Every structure is written in structure tokens, then in C-alpha cells.
Amino acid sequence: MDPSKLRVEGKKMIEVVADYWETIRTRRPIPDVKPGYINHLVPAHPPKQPESWDKIYEDLERVVFNGSSHWNHPHFFAYFPAGIGYHSILADIISSGMGSVGFTWIACPPITELEKTVLDWLVILMGLPEHFKNSHPGPGCGIIQSSASDSTLIAILTARATKVEYLKKNPSTFQQFKNTTSLAIRRIFYWPVPIQSSTESTDIITPYYHDPTVFKDFVMYFCDQGHSSVEKGAMLAGVRFRKLKGTRKYLDNFGLDPETLQKAIEEDRSRGYIPFMLVATVGTTATCGVDQISELGPICLKEGLYLHVDAAYAGSFAFCEEFIYLVKGLEHVDSYNFNLHKAGMINFDCSPLWFKNGTYASRYYNVDPVYLAHEYQSTSTDYRHLEIPLGRRFRSLKIWFTLRNMGVEKIKEYQRKTVSLATLFAKIIVENGKFEIFTPPHLGLATFRLKNHSNSDNERLLRAINRDRRIHLVPSIVHGTFLLRFCVGSPLTSEGDIYDTRRVIYEISRNLFLK
Ligand code: PLP
């Protein structure tokens, strides 16, 4: 293939994508395939000779589209949305088309420079704290990660390193632990001189900031409504964690009560543990609940806990003035992340993460091999020090294209539409008297269940809905109650689709239980 052939086939491929969007309604939101279905369609051995593009196009329908879940189908109400915008598709073409990789600033300067700028644009558009800006003279910074899971993991590792560093530098602060039986806590007082991980020694290295014997008794907190990626992050970081029970106190949607946090910190300290972090959620997966940052932040500050906020889904809504409460209290936060690739109309992957002390945090991961050194190292940003992979894509192009040509007003319009459709659904699903709303709809998410029916009946209903394949929902369980989640994501969903969806749910539930 040469550039002239690329021109021809590239145009055809754009046609395929445009056709996909124009005909998406004719498909079912989820496929009727079983694991291994592809074995009947794709040979086990690779072709011996190159095949024609025409043949490959033909197989796209059979192999790919026909077996896919269509996340932007107007009746796909599962999970949280997979942001989509044609602007991102075009930006990804440029990113892949250039094929440059942003190892360091010098490896591809626009990858770093544009990312720094568009993240500052987001700070302005969403009313985030000024100190997050890359252009701010302080140590704050913003970086695009691949996902909320990556962001949470890097935040946990940063919180862990911050506490390890603090304990090593301030051993006297820990007089209060002198009487505990925990050996690890006592050993902190005798900590040896820091060892740099970049030494050429072939002996065992104990990285100063990541010393497992120091964090052995650390404990981090999150609400029991936090996403599974928080628990996974804690496991990957090798730290203990404690899930605190959410309440209906704020927004009636199961958030973390500040009193619960305070009590847990005191209890755990008296048991000899070292509380080091809270991961709070703005927009929980089950009910779109909110841990109130403005109340939790001061506790974290007082108790020396690092505070990370996971606003994976809800964060994008801060574009809209009426949802500005979602970012209230962020001045207390050490790191903050949300996914533009959920409700931000930008394709996966695009997960901005801001640090209050990013330039300090970058010390914790600084390994500096000669092959990555460059002459602007002391005057530029090398994002490699704040993320797990070294290689990085040109993700900021998606934000740049979208904000410039689509404009933020269109994103707000889309978000407001999802909110009003979820509210409409919550209002009309209860009209036959057979269903109840579990939590008040919040943003684009409504939760509901069959009234006066057991969890297993509700589970049966959900299974029947998904087997029917006209709409797609996923469930959740909150404090023992099984519920159905209804989240509007596709920009194509209309009011008519909400009424159609209700009709489908009524029909299926009538056939199952209400004859
Ligand atoms: N946090 C919350 C609240 C989520 O709802 C999700 C996914 O839906 C995640 C984190 C994980 O997001 P990602 O796929 O970007 O890791």
C-alpha cells in the first residue's frame, strides 16, 4: 500500500464509518453471539497471500459489526456512555497517521505542548482550581491518562509515596505509634539513608519512596459505592483498604458521610494502622452518588490523608453551569480525574488527571536512562514521570478538534439532553404503579426496580430484557438491593426512544409476572 492507495481506501473506510452511524438504528444494541462465534468466521491460520480490500470490507459486517455491542445505539442504556464525536475520529486519524510517540518532550514536542494547553482550557471551562493549570507557576499540572483506572492507580501510588516520604522525613510525628505492636511502624524511626533507584549497583535496591516495609500498615479508604477499579488499584499498589458504607445523606444517592470517614480514621489509628488516603467518587457507578468533597476535603487535610477524586462519568458535566456543584471543594483535592470519553463527546481513550503537586509527584517515578535524556529536560515537561506507560498517543488532538469545531455549547446540549431523558424515564416508568425508583435520577442515570418483588424477580426481569435485545441495561446491587440502571448515552436517543423503552419493559415484565 502506498499513499495513493491510502487515499482511496481511507475514503472508503470513512464511508464505512458514516454508513455505520446512519444505519445504527437498524441494528440491535447487543449481538446474539456466543463466546467463540468468531471461530466459524475467521480461519485459524493467517492468509498465505495478501487478500483484497473488497474481501476485507465484506467481512467487516459478518465478523465485526454483526458480533458487536453498539454502544451508541439509541437503545443502549448500559454502563456509562462511551463518548463519541466525529471530531475525535478525525483526530485519531491524524494521531495514527503521524505515528509519532510522545516518550518525552523532545520525542514529539506538540504531543506534550498541546496537551498542556488544552488541559488548561478545560480548567477554565469547568471552573477547576487555577493551581491545576500547567501554566500556573505552582507545582500543579494536568496530564491525559488512558483511563480512570490508570488515574486512580497512579494517584494511590503517589499517595503512598507521599506518606512514605513524610514518615521518613518526620519520624518524630509518629510518637503516637510508639506503643503499638506493629513492628513496621516502629522501624520507621530507624530508617536508613535514601537509596536512589537509578543507581548502577547490582545489589538489591529499596526505592526510597516505595519502601514496602514502611507502607505495610497503611490503610486507604473509599466508599462502598466506589468503582471496582479503586479496589483493584489498592491491590496493585499492595496497600490495605477499607470500604466505608455510603448513606443517603447527600443527594439521596449513597455517598460517603464525613462522620463515617472521621470515625474510621480514629478507629484505625488506635489499632496501629496508618490512614494515608481517601479515594472519593463524584458520580458513583451504581446510582451516580456523590461523596461531598467540600466536607471530606478538610478532614483529609486535618488528618494528613491524600485525597483523590474519581469523577469518571460525572466530571464532564461540569461544562454546564447548573452542575458546577460537582466540582465544589476541589481546592482541597490532591488529584482529580474524569473521563472525557464518557459524557464528554470524545472517543475512548481520554482521561484528564490533574495533580495539585504534580511536579513533586513526578519525583516518585523518575527513572532517567540516558537514551531518554534531552537538552530541554530541565525546562520542559516529560509526562513519562506521571504515568505507567512510556509511550503515549496524541490524545489532546481529540480535545483540540472538538472544542474548536464542535464547541462546548454542543457538548452541553448533549449532556442536558441525556439528563432530561433520564428524568423523563424515571417519571414515566412508575406510571403503571408496578415499578419504583430506587434513587432520584442524577445526571443521565436513573435506577429502578419492580415494586414489591424480590431481588431474584428483578434479576429475572433484567435477564429477559437483555435476552430480548431491543434494549440493553446492566444492573447493580446497593446494600443488598438489586436494581436496574438506566443510563442515557447515545446522542441519537430521543424522547420517542424513552417511551419505546418503557413499552418494551412493561411488555416483558407483564409477560413474566403481571399477567
Ligand atoms: N470510576 C467510575 C465511577 C466508573 O463508573 C468507571 C467506569 O464506568 C471507572 C472508574 C473506570 O473507568 P475506566 O474504564 O476509564 O478505567
Side-chain angles (χ1 to χ4, degrees):
M1 202 164 175
D2 56 22
S4 66
K5 190 79 176 135
L6 172 67
R7 247 180 253 283
V8 175
E9 298 307 331
K11 283 175 189 156
K12 278 196 213 156
M13 202 62 87
I14 289 288
E15 290 291 328
V16 170
V17 175
D19 286 349
Y20 172 81
W21 272 87
E22 278 176 355
T23 57
I24 195 167
R25 250 183 204 284
T26 62
R27 302 178 183 274
R28 291 274 158 122
I30 42 172
D32 191 4
V33 291
K34 301 251 163 2
Y37 83 95
I38 220 156
N39 300 339
H40 307 293
L41 304 172
V42 177
H45 293 279
K48 290 214 168 71
Q49 297 297 328
E51 294 179 308
S52 73
W53 274 108
D54 287 344
K55 200 153 176 281
I56 297 170
Y57 284 127
E58 252 176 59
D59 284 350
L60 263 182
E61 182 59 43
R62 275 183 336 125
V63 177
V64 179
F65 294 141
N66 192 42
S68 283
S69 299
H70 301 288
W71 281 61
N72 281 286
H73 189 287
H75 292 175
F76 188 100
F77 303 114
Y79 316 110
F80 280 135
I84 182 88
Y86 302 137
H87 297 76
S88 307
I89 300 171
L90 299 179
D92 276 348
I93 291 177
I94 302 292
S95 173
S96 304
M98 284 171 60
S100 298
V101 182
F103 278 178
T104 58
W105 183 89
I106 199 72
C108 186
I111 294 186
T112 305
E113 297 278 329
L114 193 61
E115 185 159 328
K116 288 174 72 176
T117 303
V118 296
L119 285 184
D120 282 6
W121 286 7
L122 291 174
V123 169
I124 297 167
L125 288 170
M126 302 184 134
L128 306 182
E130 279 285 308
H131 59 241
F132 279 163
K133 277 189 176 170
N134 289 304
S135 56
H136 189 275
C141 73
I143 172 174
I144 307 176
Q145 301 275 346
S146 171
S147 67
S149 307
D150 290 3
S151 301
T152 300
L153 174 58
I154 205 89
I156 296 171
L157 296 174
T158 302
R160 199 186 71 184
T162 307
K163 197 61 150 189
V164 169
E165 182 183 21
Y166 181 80
L167 293 185
K168 286 186 175 186
K169 288 189 174 158
N170 300 278
S172 59
T173 325
F174 291 86
Q175 289 301 322
Q176 55 185 302
F177 294 118
K178 268 194 161 165
N179 297 328
T180 103
T181 50
S182 163
L183 271 179
I185 292 168
R186 287 201 190 148
R187 254 189 260 131
I188 288 161
F189 294 101
Y190 310 113
W191 211 255
V193 187
I195 305 166
Q196 286 307 317
S197 61
S198 56
T199 172
E200 286 189 0
S201 162
T202 53
D203 201 355
I204 290 174
I205 291 169
T206 306
Y208 181 70
Y209 304 116
H210 305 286
D211 195 324
T213 54
V214 180
F215 64 74
K216 185 178 153 292
D217 290 305
F218 284 13
V219 59
M220 63 175 262
Y221 303 106
F222 51 97
C223 182
D224 61 356
Q225 300 306 305
H227 190 258
S228 58
S229 53
V230 183
E231 186 165 339
K232 188 174 176 181
M235 290 189 220
L236 288 167
V239 290
R240 295 166 202 273
F241 57 88
R242 185 167 170 193
K243 295 187 198 181
L244 305 174
K245 195 165 181 186
T247 70
R248 284 181 175 259
K249 212 164 164 182
Y250 180 60
L251 293 184
D252 198 12
N253 271 19
F254 296 94
L256 176 58
D257 184 343
E259 278 174 31
T260 312
L261 174 67
Q262 185 68 58
K263 194 160 158 271
I265 295 171
E266 283 158 21
E267 264 172 27
D268 293 339
R269 285 230 168 95
S270 71
R271 295 194 286 170
Y273 293 107
I274 303 177
F276 79 105
M277 179 182 209
L278 169 68
V279 177
T281 309
V282 171
T284 60
T285 315
T287 62
C288 205
V290 171
D291 297 339
Q292 216 180 343
I293 308 305
S294 51
E295 301 284 314
L296 295 163
I299 299 179
C300 292
L301 198 65
K302 174 168 71 82
E303 303 290 352
L305 266 64
Y306 181 108
L307 174 56
H308 174 70
V309 174
D310 168 9
Y313 165 66
S316 295
F317 287 85
F319 282 129
C320 300
E321 299 72 18
E322 65 273 34
F323 301 123
I324 210 75
Y325 62 88
L326 296 167
V327 292
K328 202 168 153 228
L330 283 193
E331 65 279 6
H332 303 298
V333 159
D334 293 289
S335 48
Y336 173 68
N337 163 251
F338 76 95
N339 286 342
L340 274 169
H341 65 240
K342 284 193 162 65
M345 296 209 79
I346 288 185
N347 294 22
F348 187 83
D349 56 346
C350 194
S351 189
L353 167 67
W354 284 274
F355 289 95
K356 192 186 233 172
N357 286 316
T359 40
Y360 299 148
S362 66
R363 290 169 307 144
Y364 301 143
Y365 317 105
N366 193 330
V367 277
D368 254 334
V370 171
Y371 45 82
L372 293 176
H374 59 92
E375 63 179 304
Y376 299 108
Q377 223 162 309
S378 57
T379 52
S380 67
T381 300
D382 273 350
Y383 275 134
R384 68 191 157 113
H385 299 309
L386 279 177
E387 65 178 6
I388 295 162
L390 172 63
R392 51 200 339 265
R393 305 177 65 234
F394 205 157
R395 298 191 191 97
S396 57
L397 272 177
K398 297 190 271 200
I399 307 178
W400 198 47
F401 282 12
T402 304
L403 291 179
R404 290 183 68 190
N405 184 265
M406 181 194 288
V408 74
E409 288 306 318
K410 273 272 176 274
I411 303 175
K412 287 154 78 169
E413 214 175 274
Y414 154 78
Q415 292 173 339
R416 286 173 177 143
K417 189 173 124 189
T418 65
V419 174
S420 75
L421 293 178
T423 310
L424 173 67
F425 176 81
K427 178 170 164 274
I428 65 170
I429 192 68
V430 295
E431 279 177 2
N432 71 351
K434 311 288 183 195
F435 287 89
E436 64 187 358
I437 290 303
F438 181 69
T439 45
H442 187 212
L443 308 180
L445 180 74
T447 59
F448 69 107
R449 64 193 311 279
L450 271 169
K451 199 154 73 176
N452 304 324
H453 276 261
S454 63
N455 279 354
S456 59
D457 282 352
N458 276 282
E459 239 178 300
R460 265 183 74 200
L461 171 63
L462 179 90
R463 266 201 306 276
I465 288 172
N466 286 332
R467 237 183 277 122
D468 175 85
R469 296 185 208 286
R470 278 177 289 174
I471 62 173
H472 183 38
L473 304 176
V474 294
S476 198
I477 296 180
V478 175
H479 299 168
T481 302
F482 186 94
L483 55 105
L484 287 75
R485 293 171 75 263
F486 176 89
C487 188
V488 183
S490 170
L492 302 176
T493 307
S494 64
E495 274 198 13
D497 291 312
I498 303 298
Y499 284 97
D500 286 348
T501 298
R502 177 179 71 167
R503 191 171 41 74
V504 170
I505 295 172
Y506 279 5
E507 177 195 310
I508 294 172
S509 57
R510 206 169 34 243
N511 289 341
L512 277 179
F513 304 111
L514 312 170
K515 276 181 193 153

